[in-house]
Amino acid sequence: MSLFNRRTLLALVAAAPLAACGFSPVYGTGGAGAQLRGQVTVQEPTSQAGYLLVRQMETRLGRSGTASRYALDIELATDDDGLAINTAGDITRFNITAKARFALRDTTTGDVVSSGSVENFTAYSATGTTVATLAAERDALERLMTILADQITARLFTTRLPV
């Protein structure tokens, strides 16, 4: 058996479990990514963190038109905690945690198609100037909202949507 035939055989054997478990591409025909693209209206944000999360969700799911099939409601909570304190008693590192509860509703029936919650954290340093600390805080918040948007999107893409 030539080396090419062995590689082909190995590739087929490796792909067999994926075909058996119902694997299908997210953006393929009938995949959740294709069904959700441009069809989800994300709830209006009420805070800076909410704005960043909605912006990232619209980047991943596309902006919806006037008549979208789904509505995504998100309840977001964030918290800042000091992590490191120097000998003078100043906090030099902060941790930002966030939890987002979400529900994807079908706008035609009003049924909740998918729901859940995701949470994560990120940190930033407060050892520089005030401007540097504020910039680090904004960057950390943006990174955290990107992480949450990725987690929510991954959950939505694994949902079996009604046809």
Side-chain angles (χ1 to χ4, degrees), residues 27-160:
Y27 291 107
T29 306
Q35 288 179 345
L36 291 175
R37 187 83 184 146
Q39 293 297 315
V40 179
T41 300
V42 184
Q43 156 189 330
E44 291 184 23
T46 58
S47 65
Q48 175 68 19
Y51 165 76
L52 294 170
L53 181 60
V54 169
R55 185 179 75 182
Q56 293 299 327
M57 291 302 301
E58 287 180 346
T59 299
R60 277 137 187 81
L61 299 174
R63 292 193 90 172
S64 64
T66 55
S68 60
R69 170 92 192 261
Y70 301 100
L72 181 63
D73 300 323
I74 301 173
E75 183 183 318
L76 181 65
T78 59
D79 188 33
D80 287 347
D81 294 318
L83 287 180
I85 301 174
N86 63 15
T87 56
D90 299 326
I91 299 174
T92 59
R93 189 150 186 86
F94 288 91
N95 197 28
I96 303 175
T97 57
K99 183 173 187 172
R101 291 189 185 98
F102 65 92
L104 182 69
R105 288 182 295 106
D106 188 328
T107 56
T108 57
T109 64
D111 294 337
V112 174
V113 177
S114 178
S115 65
S117 66
V118 294
E119 58 185 299
N120 222 307
F121 71 95
T122 189
Y124 65 95
S125 176
T127 57
T129 64
T130 304
V131 173
T133 300
L134 289 173
E137 181 182 12
R138 278 193 298 265
D139 179 65
L141 188 63
E142 189 167 348
R143 284 184 284 125
L144 182 56
M145 293 306 114
T146 300
I147 292 167
L148 291 180
D150 288 342
Q151 289 178 314
I152 293 170
T153 304
R155 288 273 192 81
L156 294 178
F157 284 168
T158 59
T159 301
R160 203 168 280 283

